[in-house]
Amino acid sequence: MVNAPVYQNYINGEWRAPSNGETVASVNPANRQEIVGIVPSSGRDDLESAVAAADAARKAWRDLAGPARGQFLYKAADILESRLEDIAETMTREMGKTFGEAKGETARGVALLRYYAGEGMRKIGDVIPSTDAGALMFTTRVPLGVVGVITPWNFPVAIPIWKIAPALIYGNTVVWKPATETAVTAAKIMACFHDAGLPAGVLNLVIGSGSVIGQGIAEHPGIHGVTFTGSNAVGKRIAQAAVARGAKYQLEMGGKNPVIVLKDADLELAVNATISGAFRSTGQKCTATSRVIVEKEIYPAFREKLLDKIAQLKVGDGMDPSTWLGPCASESQMETVLGYIRKGIEEGAELLCGGKRLSEGNLANGFFVAPTVFDRVTPDMTIFREEIFGPVIALVQADNLEEALRLANDSEYGLSASVFTRDIGSILTFIREMDAGLVRVNEETAGVELQAPFGGMKSSSSHSREQGTAAIEFYTAIKTVFVKA
Ligand code: NAP
Ligand code: MG
């Protein structure tokens, strides 16, 4: 612990130790003996300083032209790109995803910054015909003011950037609270913006617990909009606090994403996409596949092929190039996953593979769970209903597309869903009937393109969308202008 590097908050253009002096360790989940860094456990004083700095920077940033704001994002993109390997390695050591996936995510962060940099030059309004022929009526967009950004640990680069970049380009200043679990990665992202010369106060980083800094952001009268990605339980509390004080809010939360495999599916494709969707990032994606609903004619063949391929997945440290599946991000995450596995067994599902912690050799120092498949899962079981956020899938047999859709829609969540079939009629029925914000055909459930709107239906979101053409909706307000000469 003594030799681990120390990271700080970033407030009003400078790195600052937390005013209460409290810190916590960020631990490598593949090797609990390794401390990746010591990070602040800030108090409300630090949040106050950050909100004051963001407020003071607000007018000058808002008054800068969009293309000029874009230049800072282009610079931050170039810097992030030049540090891609280091930041990806930090991510792998901090939360466990494989180095390959971490590099892919960091490259996504670079692309997101460039996309939003370009947004600084695109249209922000419409001209609308007035009933008065001599008048000019149009809409423009104005920033909210100070935006609070609260992010989870599972995509520690992409999610913060897909919130921070649009907030900034549309003229807001930001107070960002990252997940404590991935605070070192957050500090390294912050450094890219600092080195890009972003003016003091425009982006502030406050590292601290959810209950103190996260809740503090949700309640703070100086924060005009709150954007959150994380669990449903926390999202609901943020919404309540925001509604109570009339602030704008946006929530992206959990999923229980189904794949439907119909009898005419390309079996190889469906099995590979199920494995990739369910087990990449150790199942810790909001869009991860967690229920696999298979038409009865091909159920036995699908199950056999699935188990054959899962048996070949190599579990290990994400920095080892031969690893396909890394650890759970933390001990508590692993305990949650093992708890769901026990529940699955208790409630009568049939365990086909995995179902346990892996602790042979080097794995003993980390939080590894074997890829797990349950058969004979029914809709009343906990593992059918609740988000597990780990390498676990539930197999369910269906008689036909109609029953498969009924099962797939039997969930409080509606984030992502896939179908595997070659039949155009089935494809169109699936697109029409499936209640999910993201529906994908012959593709895995996980996978988001940054230029398209992203978000869930039902309890998966606040019914808002992020990214692509939708991003402007949250980070701005429409001002309708009527001009008469
Ligand atoms: P989480 O516990 O809800 O944490 C998310 C963030 O909220 C963290 O920064 C956390 O801080 C903070 N927080 C915790 N308690 C808070 C409170 N009372 N008030 C305000 N903020 C608080 O979620 P997680 O376990 O990190 O992330 C996994 C969840 O995120 C899953 O449910 C997953 O489906 C969801 N997710 C959704 C999407 C999507 O786009 N729909 C994408 C990725 C993940 P600490 O770090 O201090 O706990
Ligand atoms: Mg960690």
Side-chain angles (χ1 to χ4, degrees):
M1 185 139 175
V2 190
N3 293 322
V6 175
Y7 295 86
Q8 295 181 320
N9 293 323
Y10 182 86
I11 297 171
N12 203 22
E14 57 183 35
W15 297 100
R16 290 189 198 166
S19 49
N20 59 13
E22 287 176 25
T23 57
V24 290
S26 177
V27 174
N28 182 346
N31 174 14
R32 63 193 317 165
Q33 264 105 46
E34 184 193 333
I35 293 180
V36 184
I38 305 297
V39 302
S41 179
S42 304
R44 291 269 174 130
D45 287 354
D46 303 301
L47 177 61
E48 286 306 328
S49 308
V51 175
D55 192 56
R58 195 143 74 90
K59 186 169 179 338
W61 184 247
R62 185 193 67 193
D63 290 347
L64 212 57
R69 289 196 293 262
Q71 289 307 316
F72 290 103
L73 298 193
Y74 280 124
K75 259 185 224 149
D78 291 346
I79 294 168
L80 178 60
E81 193 168 46
S82 73
R83 298 176 188 172
L84 190 143
E85 299 248 332
D86 174 63
I87 289 179
E89 182 176 340
T90 303
M91 189 187 327
T92 297
R93 288 166 62 217
E94 226 181 0
M95 59 71 69
K97 76 172 63 175
T98 62
F99 188 46
E101 286 180 84
K103 281 190 286 191
E105 184 185 332
T106 310
R108 171 67 61 107
V110 173
L112 280 158
L113 284 165
R114 292 187 177 137
Y115 175 87
Y116 287 106
E119 276 297 279
M121 299 181 94
R122 294 196 190 99
K123 86 174 190 117
I124 51 168
D126 298 299
V127 176
I128 299 153
S130 166
T131 51
D132 182 337
L136 171 62
M137 186 162 68
F138 66 95
T139 60
T140 186
R141 296 270 183 172
V142 294
L144 301 180
V146 179
V147 169
V149 171
I150 304 174
T151 52
W153 45 261
N154 67 334
F155 286 99
V157 169
I159 292 178
I161 291 179
W162 86 45
K163 293 178 185 295
I164 290 167
L168 296 182
I169 200 66
Y170 299 125
N172 302 281
T173 57
V174 172
V175 175
W176 171 30
K177 190 214 105 57
T180 310
E181 197 64 59
T182 48
V184 175
T185 306
K188 291 190 174 190
I189 298 295
M190 186 65 244
C192 294
F193 284 98
H194 171 76
D195 293 341
L198 200 67
V202 170
L203 173 60
N204 305 276
L205 172 72
V206 185
I207 299 166
S209 77
S211 56
V212 176
I213 305 303
Q215 187 72 21
I217 285 176
E219 290 170 356
H220 203 296
I223 292 184
H224 308 96
V226 182
T227 176
F228 166 83
T229 295
S231 62
N232 281 57
V234 172
K236 268 183 198 152
R237 299 181 58 161
I238 288 173
Q240 279 162 357
V243 165
R245 61 184 186 82
K248 196 170 180 181
Y249 67 93
Q250 175 188 57
L251 315 170
E252 285 300 336
M253 300 172 286
K256 191 67 191 170
N257 311 295
V259 156
I260 295 176
V261 185
L262 296 180
K263 58 176 182 277
D264 70 331
D266 177 334
L267 209 56
E268 181 82 13
L269 179 74
V271 167
N272 288 340
T274 298
I275 290 175
S276 178
F279 299 125
R280 280 200 192 275
S281 286
T282 319
Q284 299 168 128
K285 294 183 185 177
C286 53
T287 51
T289 301
S290 81
R291 295 176 297 150
V292 186
I293 303 162
V294 185
E295 212 170 3
K296 61 176 186 293
E297 288 84 349
I298 56 156
Y299 193 86
F302 178 90
R303 185 176 51 192
E304 192 185 325
K305 214 176 190 31
L306 183 75
L307 294 176
D308 280 353
K309 293 213 171 192
I310 290 173
Q312 293 158 30
L313 300 181
K314 184 172 176 297
V315 180
D317 185 331
M319 285 311 295
D320 176 343
S322 70
T323 292
W324 195 91
L325 191 99
C328 296
S330 63
E331 184 162 27
S332 72
Q333 198 59 34
M334 176 186 73
E335 291 303 338
T336 304
V337 172
L338 293 172
Y340 276 114
I341 290 170
R342 280 194 298 276
K343 260 224 151 87
I345 295 167
E346 276 161 31
E347 293 179 4
E350 185 187 337
L351 183 65
L352 292 182
C353 69
K356 60 176 194 302
R357 180 176 185 177
L358 295 174
S359 51
E360 304 85 43
N362 284 340
L363 299 185
N365 290 323
F367 311 127
F368 298 94
V369 173
T372 298
V373 179
F374 279 106
D375 199 359
R376 300 176 190 283
V377 178
T378 53
D380 55 310
M381 291 179 186
T382 308
I383 58 168
F384 184 96
R385 308 221 72 84
E386 293 184 16
E387 182 181 52
I388 298 173
F389 228 54
V392 181
I393 47 181
L395 287 184
V396 189
Q397 186 173 305
D399 284 344
N400 49 39
L401 174 61
E402 195 189 341
E403 190 190 13
L405 273 166
R406 193 171 47 69
L407 287 161
N409 278 327
D410 183 2
S411 174
E412 66 168 304
Y413 295 109
L415 186 52
S416 179
S418 289
V419 71
F420 287 84
T421 177
R422 300 182 178 100
D423 178 61
I424 185 68
S426 303
I427 290 171
L428 293 176
T429 301
F430 172 80
I431 293 170
R432 201 170 48 240
E433 302 288 330
M434 187 68 226
D435 297 328
L438 205 60
V439 293
R440 296 167 58 86
V441 178
N442 294 319
E443 253 294 355
E444 63 171 88
T445 57
V448 170
E449 297 206 29
L450 65 96
Q451 69 277 30
F454 172 68
M457 292 180 179
K458 301 197 267 187
S459 293
S460 289
S461 89
S462 53
H463 314 289
S464 41
R465 293 290 178 270
E466 296 189 274
Q467 303 201 62
T469 49
I472 195 169
E473 299 302 334
F474 177 72
Y475 295 98
T476 63
I478 293 176
K479 190 179 268 186
T480 303
V481 184
F482 184 89
V483 185
K484 218 173 154 183

